[in-house]
Amino acid sequence: MQQAVDEYISQFKAGYFPPLSQLARLTEEVGELAREINHNYGDKQKKHDELPGSVQEELGDVMIVLMIMANSLDIDLTETFEQNMAKFNQRDHYRFERKDGKTHD
Amino acid sequence: MQQAVDEYISQFKAGYFPPLSQLARLTEEVGELAREINHNYGDKQKKHDELPGSVQEELGDVMIVLMIMANSLDIDLTETFEQNMAKFNQRDHYRFERKDGKTHD
Amino acid sequence: MQQAVDEYISQFKAGYFPPLSQLARLTEEVGELAREINHNYGDKQKKHDELPGSVQEELGDVMIVLMIMANSLDIDLTETFEQNMAKFNQRDHYRFERKDGKTHD
Amino acid sequence: MQQAVDEYISQFKAGYFPPLSQLARLTEEVGELAREINHNYGDKQKKHDELPGSVQEELGDVMIVLMIMANSLDIDLTETFEQNMAKFNQRDHYRFERKDGKTHD
């Protein structure tokens, strides 16, 4: 996926934005996701003339902007995923009540 | 200001949203502010058919949504402001390089 | 309030951050508010060794960072508040079901 | 990746949080990413006693929380990625100045 994103960005002269501008881009997309989630699962009703949105599309946009940020910072998300999941599995093994009832090793 | 916000909200049957829905509302508005700041001070250019936005207006919307949240949680923002500024003035007194050159009391 | 914030910032050589860095600062504080709201009103429980937080304090931090941003961009929040509230009162007068039952002028 | 995330979550009785609580979780993680980006690429210096953070780790946490949200809403991120990239490639083909100089089909 990161490769496809890089091919998309590489078409354009502007290339990758600097990190703070990318962060603003991510904040913008998370805001759009928030609006759709609030419309679909929260208390904020859509305006009568507002186009139907899509949580799936907004969630996808957040992910792609995240990949653009990772690409620009030379971060391999697959490698990062494995490291972070190892962290969660180790650090948070007893963080929440477990189905198997265990509370420690 | 919080009083004026309360009068606005009290016109409507829905009244104040629950906290998580208000947080989603705040995230949405911060996203809109992010877009305007990126357009005005970052690398993201507006689309040629995109209406001119306003950092001032978006910043104002974030503040009003913050006040709606404070109202709904019975939080006095003036009192909170004084407490937090006292915290900043005390905790961060030497946090950044000072013009007066002092580094400790 | 904006005056008191300006006095606080003016102590330091760094002064006001540029807009994108301020936006990152605001995003950080909204994240901390989100954590507290999720702990107090959502499904995410605090870790057993996590210090009790305060929605009021985090909400106050978001407001102060917003004021720092407004100061740095020469935006008067009182004036902005009045303009935005006029917008809400006019544009959204019939946005939500009204207690007085009215649906138009 | 979504499968591995599901296996992680399925260990716990709490299972997936409702959408608004997940959104708050995402907002929290984006805030932590914002702090690290501001420390590494912005104007906000780390406190002298603050532990070194990692943009890579925070970016990974945002991605995993995004996957948890997708899982909980039955959204296939691979399918979503393809749909959204098709949208970007089609809608934004001439959005930014192109290296090949083309401005229309």
Side-chain angles (χ1 to χ4, degrees):
Chain A
M1 286 192 193
Q2 285 187 263
Q3 178 62 31
V5 168
D6 189 54
E7 279 156 24
Y8 166 72
I9 294 286
S10 307
Q11 305 172 81
F12 305 110
K13 284 191 178 175
Y16 290 102
F17 296 160
L20 281 172
S21 204
Q22 298 230 29
L23 178 66
R25 185 83 183 80
L26 180 65
T27 306
E28 176 187 349
E29 292 300 335
V30 170
E32 290 180 17
L33 174 61
R35 189 185 63 222
E36 285 313 316
I37 287 196
N38 218 0
H39 283 160
N40 286 273
Y41 304 98
D43 293 72
K44 191 189 173 214
Q45 59 189 148
K46 269 205 184 293
K47 288 172 191 159
H48 59 83
D49 57 355
E50 219 168 342
L51 294 176
S54 149
V55 169
Q56 178 175 7
E57 183 178 345
E58 299 302 346
L59 211 146
D61 283 355
V62 173
M63 188 175 65
I64 289 172
V65 166
L66 208 59
M67 288 180 181
I68 292 173
M69 186 184 276
N71 280 1
S72 73
L73 300 172
D74 247 345
I75 291 172
D76 178 329
L77 285 174
T78 307
E79 195 189 289
T80 306
F81 175 80
E82 275 143 25
Q83 288 167 8
N84 286 38
M85 282 308 289
K87 172 187 80 174
F88 280 131
N89 276 310
Q90 196 271 326
R91 184 195 70 186
D92 293 351
H93 199 71
Y94 300 104
R95 169 93 166 82
F96 305 101
E97 196 184 345
R98 294 179 60 83
K99 288 180 185 168
D100 61 22
K102 287 187 177 175
T103 56
H104 57 78
D105 290 341
Chain B
M1 286 191 193
Q2 285 186 263
Q3 178 62 32
V5 168
D6 190 53
E7 279 155 24
Y8 166 73
I9 294 286
S10 307
Q11 306 172 78
F12 305 110
K13 284 191 178 175
Y16 290 101
F17 297 160
L20 282 172
S21 204
Q22 297 230 29
L23 178 65
R25 186 82 182 78
L26 180 65
T27 307
E28 175 187 351
E29 292 300 335
V30 169
E32 290 181 15
L33 176 60
R35 189 185 64 222
E36 284 314 315
I37 287 194
N38 219 359
H39 284 160
N40 286 274
Y41 305 98
D43 293 73
K44 190 187 172 214
Q45 60 189 149
K46 269 206 185 293
K47 289 172 191 157
H48 58 83
D49 57 355
E50 219 168 341
L51 293 174
S54 151
V55 169
Q56 177 176 5
E57 183 179 345
E58 299 301 346
L59 210 146
D61 282 355
V62 173
M63 186 175 67
I64 289 173
V65 167
L66 208 60
M67 288 180 180
I68 293 173
M69 187 184 276
N71 281 1
S72 72
L73 299 173
D74 247 346
I75 291 172
D76 178 330
L77 285 174
T78 307
E79 196 188 287
T80 305
F81 175 81
E82 274 141 29
Q83 288 168 7
N84 286 38
M85 283 307 289
K87 172 188 79 173
F88 280 132
N89 277 311
Q90 195 271 326
R91 183 194 71 187
D92 293 351
H93 199 71
Y94 300 104
R95 168 93 167 79
F96 304 102
E97 196 184 346
R98 296 180 59 83
K99 288 180 185 167
D100 60 22
K102 288 186 178 177
T103 57
H104 56 78
D105 289 339
Chain C
M1 288 190 190
Q2 285 186 263
Q3 178 61 32
V5 168
D6 190 53
E7 280 155 25
Y8 166 73
I9 294 286
S10 307
Q11 304 172 80
F12 305 110
K13 284 190 178 172
Y16 291 101
F17 296 160
L20 281 171
S21 204
Q22 298 230 29
L23 179 65
R25 186 80 183 79
L26 179 65
T27 306
E28 175 187 350
E29 292 301 333
V30 170
E32 290 181 16
L33 175 60
R35 188 187 61 223
E36 285 313 317
I37 287 195
N38 218 1
H39 283 160
N40 286 273
Y41 305 99
D43 293 74
K44 190 190 173 211
Q45 60 189 146
K46 270 206 184 291
K47 288 173 191 160
H48 59 82
D49 57 356
E50 219 167 342
L51 293 175
S54 149
V55 170
Q56 178 175 5
E57 183 179 344
E58 299 302 345
L59 210 146
D61 283 354
V62 173
M63 187 175 67
I64 289 172
V65 166
L66 209 59
M67 287 179 182
I68 293 173
M69 186 183 276
N71 280 1
S72 72
L73 299 173
D74 246 344
I75 291 172
D76 178 327
L77 285 175
T78 307
E79 195 188 288
T80 306
F81 175 82
E82 274 141 27
Q83 288 167 7
N84 286 39
M85 282 308 288
K87 172 188 79 173
F88 280 130
N89 276 311
Q90 194 272 325
R91 184 195 70 187
D92 292 351
H93 199 70
Y94 300 103
R95 170 89 166 81
F96 303 102
E97 196 184 345
R98 295 180 58 84
K99 287 179 185 168
D100 59 23
K102 287 187 179 177
T103 56
H104 55 80
D105 289 338
Chain D
M1 289 189 189
Q2 286 187 260
Q3 178 61 33
V5 168
D6 189 54
E7 280 156 21
Y8 166 73
I9 294 286
S10 307
Q11 305 172 80
F12 305 110
K13 283 190 179 174
Y16 291 102
F17 296 161
L20 281 172
S21 204
Q22 297 229 31
L23 179 66
R25 185 81 182 79
L26 179 66
T27 306
E28 176 188 350
E29 292 300 334
V30 170
E32 291 180 17
L33 175 61
R35 189 186 61 224
E36 286 313 317
I37 287 194
N38 218 1
H39 283 160
N40 287 273
Y41 305 99
D43 292 74
K44 191 189 173 210
Q45 58 188 146
K46 268 204 185 293
K47 290 174 189 157
H48 58 84
D49 57 356
E50 218 167 342
L51 294 174
S54 151
V55 170
Q56 178 175 6
E57 183 179 345
E58 299 301 346
L59 211 146
D61 282 354
V62 173
M63 188 176 65
I64 289 172
V65 166
L66 208 59
M67 287 180 182
I68 293 174
M69 187 184 276
N71 280 1
S72 72
L73 299 173
D74 245 347
I75 291 172
D76 178 327
L77 285 175
T78 307
E79 194 189 290
T80 305
F81 175 81
E82 275 142 29
Q83 288 168 8
N84 285 37
M85 283 308 290
K87 173 188 79 174
F88 281 132
N89 277 311
Q90 196 271 326
R91 184 194 71 187
D92 292 350
H93 199 71
Y94 299 104
R95 169 90 166 79
F96 305 101
E97 195 184 346
R98 296 180 58 82
K99 288 179 184 168
D100 59 23
K102 287 187 179 175
T103 56
H104 56 78
D105 290 338

